[in-house]
Amino acid sequence: MSSAAFLRAAKLKGGGIIAVAGRHNLREIQAEQGTSGPIDATRSRLNYTLAGPTTADDVARDAKALMQGMAPLRRDAVMALELVLSLPVNSLIDHRAYFTDCLLWVQAHFGCPVLSAVVHLDEAAPHCHVLLLPLRDGRMVGNKLMGGRTQ
C-alpha cells in the first residue's frame, strides 16, 4: 500500500468473480489466513463490514437476486466494480468515520447497488474494499461507469 490515501477501481469479469472477490474481502480464503504475505492473521479479527452480508456466498446470492430476470450477459461482461479506498500507514484519522464517508460518496457517485463494503485493518494501511453491482435501470453498465482515462 501507499503512504498516501488513494482510490483504486477495477472491473471484475467472469463467472463466479463476485464470490471470489467476496471470499478475499471477507477473509474466507484459507491461504490468506496463513503467515505469508502482507496480511497479519492475528489482526484479521479487527476487520469489519460496513455494508452487505458477512459471507461471500451471501454477497454472491444478493448479486444474483438483483440480476434476476435480466437477459443473459456476455461472457466478458463486467460483473462488478471493486473500489479500494485506503488511508496512509499509521494514519491518525478515525478510519470508521472516514470509510463511512467514503461509502456515502461511492453510493452517491456511482448510483448502483453496493454488494459489500469491508474494512481491512490486518494489513499495514487501513483500507476498504467496496463491491458494486453495476446495475442501473435493469442493465449492467460496468464499462460505462468506469469510463475511459478522461472520465
Side-chain angles (χ1 to χ4, degrees), residues 39 54 58 69 76 78-79 93 99 108-109 113 134:
I39 298 169
T54 56
D58 287 343
D76 65 343
V78 176
M79 299 303 295
I93 294 173
F99 291 128
H109 181 75

Side-chain angles (χ1 to χ4, degrees), residues 8 35 40 42 73 100 113 118 147:
R8 184 183 74 220
T35 57
D40 180 353
T42 64
L73 299 174
T100 299
V118 180

